[in-house]
Amino acid sequence: MSNKLNRRDFIKASTMMGGGILLSFRGNDSVAATLPAEVSFNSYLSISPDNFITIFAPNPEVGQNIKTAFPMIVAEELDADWKNVKIVQAHLDTKKFNRQATAGSGAMQHSWDRLRKAGATARWMLMEAAAKRWNVAHHTLTTDNGWVWHKESGRKLNYGELATEAAALPVPTEVKFKEKKDYKLVGKPIHNVDNADIITGKPIYGLDIYREGMLLAMIERPPFGTKIKSVETAAAKAMPGVVEVIVFKNKVAVLGKSTWQVMNARKALKVTYEPEEAVESTADHDRIMKQLLEKSDVKPSRKEGDVEAVLKTAPQIITREYQAPFLSHACMEPMNFFAHVKQDGVELIGPAQLPEDTRKNVAKLLGVDIEKVTLEMTRMGGGFGRRQRSDYSMEAAELSSLVKAPVKLMWTREDDMRGGQYRPAMRYRFEAALDAKGNWIGYRMRGVGVNSGNSTRPDHFPAGAVPNFQVDSIDHKSPVTTSPWRAPSENFLGFAEQSFFDEIATAAHRDPIEYRLEYLEKAQKEPVGAVKYDIERMKGVIKLVAEKANWGKKKNVYQGFSAYFSHGSYIAQVAEIEKVKGRIVLRKMIAAVDCGVVVNLSGAYQQVQGGIIDGLGHALYGEVTLKDGIPNQQNFNTYRLIRINEIPAVEVHFMDSAINPTGLGEPALPPAAAAFANAFFKATGKRLYNQPFMKEEAMKGVKFGQSS
């Protein structure tokens, strides 16, 4: 495994002040050793003469463990001593870094080889420096835990002793990566590098930011679809600590010296609103989505064969509909951002999943040169897609420009839940045609979303497996703002698809796992159209989870199965329900995961466990409903999350894979609700079609949860 480096992009190799080597590389795969201010790079490391290694983590840390996992890859190829590694969060720098983003579970897929090159190239240069000092051949040397060894003579030097000499050497045109069997860090459980700071309350989050002379701000925002009719601000302005009250862009901001003062002053505002566009309620969305399901002039997203004809003539037709509500992202840390708009530039600090977009949007809003806008990333107390939006950072920047002072904008929990950017509400209709022998010969799915953009995934299974196949996608534009929510669209589509497939298998009198495997074989041997998922990887996780769950062989245990492909990874899950003292108890979730090489075992396990729990909790309880543009759920007393005594045991098994890592932040969520729903059917004979499950007719009279 080797990678050729582009020497045309080599810029300069030099020692840092005081000695040492700093290694970086560009997004186009070139590698160079240089001072950090002189070269564009993605990820880089520095080695000091006292044998400490600093690795800069360029991507936003939202709890997905990227700040630990990225440096692990560099340190692995460097063969470094992890105890001597210091991790530093980098600021946004589009000239030096490539794809500083947390979105779509794509960071690891994008950066795996780049990070390996950084570590492997530094290791080669350190070995070459030792070879020259000892006058021996490079190939006679080895490295181990931060040391270069010449075993024949017994000599060794640590990396710090070689760093200055290594920095003066030419950068190699080709480096070899380690083989998986030689990994010492990758694949092992490594503690999150921020654990100590989190536990001891160090200021690492956006809400911790403080600047001398900073004003605190809160904003009163209108109901969806309305505009301000009148505002009375006198009472708020007269309150202690209030510096300014500003009406701007259909909002009212209160700025002052303390959180408590600003919060109380905002309550003193008197704002009335009037309709600006359609002021929609949940009942309106339900009606509109049902109407759109009947829309005739829809161009299919994918079509194979003639599903219309098959659905008219097949001996058995199965038709089902599934509906999902809006969901809040419910981040533990509400939205916040710091901005200081000065004459010579704009300073931004805060939690952002897409910091480059944030910087661009603020520059455009203020009409300033983007090069004059800096952005410092903080750790995020949750994101789940919400912090891909720049609305809150733009508000902070605009207020700072208006009051000519540094501003920290804060959202309360109620602001966060009233402020929109919800998971889109969606509705699906599925139709399947079976012949007299239970063969699956036709499939049609139509999805409608409220501001979802694309509510369907037309190339997912059973695409390629069923001869007559059609997928339609329809979007309803609404004043209710939405944004990506962990595994966009798939978070509910996974439940709907996998629940429906279970019904098809039941109608065909077949085991649901065997039935899926049969049609995966069909897609493999006789594909109908393009197959854009990896059938072997899908079959692998299905077989593994069936084995680990002892599928169909446990007494007094009701098992439900689901499997899904999302963000490049494949996950199969089995839910296990028991009846205990008259209650339905979800005892265990078993997952088999193929995400390629697992970088940090503990971080990977937490991602899968967290995705499953998040998927179950929101499917059971989560919803945002609206009345005249105002959400009914505005805090955790009405927006129900899963509770600790309701969380099942989660057992995770990773496939032994040598392929490059694929996504993991989102893939575990989509199949979780379906595994539960299919197990619930086994236990009760009742199907679940709408979320939240606890409001379903099938749940009435069912005692769910722990028996004690």
Side-chain angles (χ1 to χ4, degrees), residues 205-208 218 328-337 350-351 378-383 386-387 392 409-417 635-636:
Y205 294 96
L207 281 172
D208 297 321
M218 288 185 179
S328 170
H329 294 78
C331 304
M332 288 295 99
E333 177 195 23
M335 300 305 107
N336 65 89
F337 221 80
T378 62
R379 189 180 177 93
M380 287 173 263
R386 173 62 180 93
R387 287 186 159 103
Y392 55 99
L409 173 69
M410 300 180 297
W411 292 41
T412 63
R413 172 61 56 202
E414 289 80 5
D415 292 336
D416 213 52
M417 289 193 175
N635 209 318
F636 290 128

Side-chain angles (χ1 to χ4, degrees), residues 263-280:
M263 189 180 294
N264 282 326
R266 187 174 64 164
K267 292 176 183 177
L269 292 172
K270 293 182 180 180
V271 188
T272 59
Y273 302 94
E274 61 185 357
E276 183 176 38
E277 51 185 314
V279 183
E280 296 174 346

Side-chain angles (χ1 to χ4, degrees), residues 660-698:
N660 288 2
T662 49
L664 199 53
E666 291 158 293
L669 189 147
F676 168 81
N678 293 336
F680 182 82
F681 169 73
K682 291 281 188 67
T684 65
K686 299 177 180 180
R687 291 283 182 184
L688 299 169
Y689 296 104
N690 304 301
Q691 293 183 6
F693 293 157
M694 295 307 291
K695 288 192 171 182
E696 272 278 72
E697 186 68 28

Side-chain angles (χ1 to χ4, degrees), residues 526-651:
E526 300 175 4
V528 181
V531 175
K532 298 183 180 180
Y533 49 91
D534 191 316
I535 293 172
E536 283 301 317
R537 292 179 73 191
M538 180 66 84
K539 290 196 300 185
V541 294
I542 290 174
K543 291 176 180 179
L544 179 60
V545 83
E547 173 196 334
K548 296 299 183 181
N550 201 16
W551 175 259
K553 298 176 182 177
K554 294 182 178 179
K555 292 184 177 180
N556 302 318
V557 175
Y558 304 92
Q559 294 179 315
F561 167 80
S562 68
Y564 210 70
F565 159 59
S566 173
H567 298 83
S569 293
Y570 296 78
I571 298 187
Q573 297 177 15
V574 170
E576 295 190 341
I577 284 176
E578 296 179 20
K579 293 180 178 179
V580 182
K581 298 180 181 178
R583 290 183 179 272
I584 297 293
V585 179
L586 177 60
R587 286 292 194 204
K588 182 185 285 189
M589 295 289 295
I590 304 163
V593 183
D594 183 347
C595 60
V597 172
V598 174
V599 176
N600 184 350
L601 186 60
S602 63
Y605 177 82
Q606 290 160 13
Q607 287 285 68
V608 176
Q609 183 186 51
I612 289 172
I613 293 169
D614 202 14
L616 288 172
H618 278 91
L620 284 162
Y621 303 111
E623 68 171 344
V624 172
T625 59
L626 296 108
K627 177 65 175 174
D628 298 330
I630 301 173
N632 296 310
Q633 295 77 20
Q634 299 188 8
N635 209 318
F636 290 128
N637 62 326
T638 49
Y639 189 83
R640 174 82 148 82
L641 297 177
I642 194 168
R643 294 170 181 162
I644 194 166
N645 67 323
E646 296 166 336
I647 293 174
V650 178
E651 183 181 308

Side-chain angles (χ1 to χ4, degrees), residues 20 56 69 101 112 138 216 224 247 274 282 291 335 348 357 389 444 462 506 517 541 548 674 684 698 708:
F56 280 76
W112 168 250
H138 185 110
L216 301 175
F224 298 111
V247 181
E274 61 185 357
T282 295
Q291 289 173 345
M335 300 305 107
L348 302 175
D357 282 1
R389 294 290 187 255
R444 181 165 63 189
T506 300
L517 289 172
V541 294
K548 296 299 183 181
T684 65
S708 58

